[in-house]
Amino acid sequence: KYTLLWLLPLLVLFLIYIGQIFSNRTIISPLKQLTEISTQLSDGNYIKIEKFKAASELCFLAESFNAMSEKLQLRESELKITQIRFVNIRDNAPDAIYMKDLEGNYLLVNNNYLSLTGKKQEEVLGTTDYEHFPEEIANKFRENDHLVQQMGIPLDIEETAEHADGSIHYYHSVKFPLRNDTGEIIAICGISSDISERKKIEQNLLLSRLVLENANEAIVITDLDGNIVEVNEAYEKITGFSRHEVIGKNPKIAKSGHHDATFYKKMWHDIKTEGKWQGEIWDRRKNGELFPKWLSITTVYEKNGKATNYVAIFSDITDKKRAEEQLEKLAYYDPLTGLSNRAYFQEQLKRSIS
């Protein structure tokens, strides 16, 4: 009886010990492993939990944990790929890309923007336009940013910027607001394209157009097939043909019939070989009247030497021809009787003797 009473506490202690071992292997140890791997997961180390002997609930938890870890790893890989793509697009874009907070401090700039300012990224981030551009230009940038913030929509804006070398460039900027999840504007983003060359071309075209329209001589531009692509106002006044009547047509519509095929063959031979021709030629106005003109035709070439167009410039010399005829008449005929004079006689005598 006393022996059984002494063994009973030992048996209880043994059972408690066995329970602790079982609990440690099936519950405490797996939970400790889960805790350690969770810590590593939070540090970005995606470790898969190996199978272990534990309660079915803990095994299910481990499987769920592994599935979550795989999804997180996949999402991180996708985010890294997206980030790499974004960085490549940002830094290799031909346009200047930037982002500012609502106080005008730069949060992001790309390589093209840095080449504009001639500064490094760390010298730009956290600064404002006033630290990189003259006050007048910086004021305009700030004004445009405020306008985007107030209207809350993307805006197309033409801006000017002074480069690091001191040159002034023209930019076409698309500025738009960046919003958070609640729809509140938190930043202003911009993409600016350098349109300086285009502006220069536009100005040259405008100047050329002004010269074309204000020239006293008629100007006709044709393609290489001889079809008219442009005429000026002087052409309309001299010939009587309006612009819409001749665009796309050949200048032959005003052909007088005064010259033979040999004349035109020689003219085009000079144009093809020498790139130009000039001389007196007769044409016909829209009303059918013949008139003389002094014509110059020039071939237009590209930088590579390829011909692209012909430009014809002519003036009406009707009055000049009349004046010449009048001078000749005054030189060889008596104004009172209309009879030929001594000068005419001597001229004719020289020809006859010759």
Side-chain angles (χ1 to χ4, degrees):
K1 182 177 179 181
Y2 292 106
T3 302
L4 289 175
L5 290 174
W6 179 76
L7 289 175
L8 185 61
L10 291 176
L11 181 62
V12 171
L13 290 174
F14 177 75
L15 289 175
I16 292 173
Y17 175 72
I18 295 298
Q20 285 179 339
I21 294 175
F22 178 79
S23 175
N24 185 59
R25 293 183 60 186
T26 59
I27 298 176
I28 297 175
S29 181
L31 285 175
K32 184 179 180 181
Q33 186 179 355
L34 283 172
T35 303
E36 291 175 352
I37 294 179
S38 297
T39 303
Q40 294 184 38
L41 179 64
S42 64
D43 294 332
N45 299 320
Y46 300 99
I47 300 173
K48 188 175 182 180
I49 300 176
E50 301 297 335
K51 291 184 177 180
F52 48 72
K53 295 179 180 180
S56 59
E57 290 81 359
L58 288 176
C59 290
F60 178 75
L61 179 62
E63 291 175 1
S64 300
F65 187 91
N66 283 338
M68 179 185 69
S69 178
E70 289 177 2
K71 287 182 180 179
L72 287 174
Q73 190 172 6
L74 179 62
R75 287 187 180 180
E76 185 178 18
S77 298
E78 292 174 348
L79 284 173
K80 285 181 179 178
I81 293 172
T82 302
Q83 185 179 19
I84 291 171
R85 288 174 179 171
F86 169 76
V87 170
N88 285 332
I89 293 172
R90 181 196 68 189
D91 290 338
N92 293 287
D95 300 329
I97 300 174
Y98 46 89
M99 180 169 66
K100 310 174 192 176
D101 62 22
L102 299 185
E103 283 71 43
N105 298 301
Y106 280 99
L107 303 175
L108 178 147
V109 292
N110 71 338
N111 289 339
N112 193 286
Y113 180 91
L114 294 174
S115 64
L116 183 158
T117 60
K119 297 181 179 180
K120 298 179 181 179
Q121 191 174 62
E122 56 268 22
E123 295 176 307
V124 176
L125 296 182
T127 65
T128 66
D129 290 315
Y130 292 94
E131 297 169 64
H132 309 293
F133 302 101
E135 185 176 358
E136 183 180 355
I137 293 177
N139 283 336
K140 189 63 178 176
F141 287 165
R142 191 71 181 131
E143 179 184 331
N144 292 336
D145 293 346
H146 277 145
L147 187 61
V148 173
Q149 183 180 348
Q150 290 170 3
M151 298 186 68
I153 58 174
L155 294 178
D156 286 359
I157 305 166
E158 188 171 300
E159 299 177 313
T160 57
E162 183 177 333
H163 280 208
D165 59 5
S167 60
I168 300 297
H169 286 240
Y170 293 92
Y171 282 88
H172 173 255
S173 300
V174 178
K175 295 190 173 184
F176 54 94
L178 182 67
R179 301 177 185 272
N180 59 16
D181 295 338
T182 62
E184 181 185 1
I185 296 175
I186 57 174
I188 302 297
C189 301
I191 303 174
S192 298
S193 305
D194 192 333
I195 58 170
S196 302
E197 275 303 313
R198 192 182 81 186
K199 289 287 290 185
K200 189 183 296 183
I201 292 172
E202 288 176 354
Q203 290 171 354
N204 289 338
L205 287 174
L206 178 61
L207 181 61
S208 299
R209 189 71 196 180
L210 290 173
V211 171
L212 188 71
E213 291 302 329
N214 291 282
N216 292 323
E217 292 81 10
I219 300 176
V220 183
I221 303 174
T222 73
D223 57 25
L224 294 181
D225 295 324
N227 299 312
I228 297 174
V229 296
E230 191 59 88
V231 297
N232 67 342
E233 189 176 339
Y235 174 89
E236 295 178 301
K237 290 180 180 178
I238 292 173
T239 65
F241 289 102
S242 63
R243 181 178 178 276
H244 73 272
E245 289 178 305
V246 298
I247 295 296
K249 296 182 180 178
N250 194 285
K252 291 179 180 178
I253 59 174
K255 191 174 180 180
S256 66
H258 191 78
H259 308 281
D260 58 19
T262 304
F263 174 87
Y264 290 107
K265 185 177 181 180
K266 174 67 169 60
M267 180 181 76
W268 281 106
H269 176 267
D270 291 348
I271 295 172
K272 296 289 186 181
T273 57
E274 300 178 16
K276 59 183 178 180
W277 179 90
Q278 66 176 354
E280 183 181 309
I281 189 172
W282 286 76
D283 262 0
R284 188 184 301 275
R285 304 186 204 274
K286 184 179 179 180
N287 61 10
E289 176 189 354
L290 296 179
F291 72 99
K293 65 183 185 182
W294 185 260
L295 173 66
S296 296
I297 300 176
T298 304
T299 307
V300 178
Y301 298 96
E302 291 181 340
K303 290 182 179 180
N304 58 10
K306 181 182 178 182
T308 58
N309 297 90
Y310 298 116
V311 176
I313 302 175
F314 66 83
S315 56
D316 187 346
I317 59 172
T318 301
D319 293 338
K320 180 182 177 183
K321 295 287 287 186
R322 287 175 182 170
E324 288 176 352
E325 291 173 359
Q326 186 65 26
L327 287 174
E328 183 179 358
K329 187 174 181 180
L330 290 173
Y332 293 116
Y333 294 90
D334 183 80
L336 181 62
T337 64
L339 299 174
S340 54
N341 57 19
R342 180 178 297 184
Y344 178 81
F345 170 76
Q346 290 176 341
E347 180 67 25
Q348 293 301 313
L349 179 62
K350 287 179 183 178
R351 290 184 182 180
S352 298
I353 293 172
S354 175

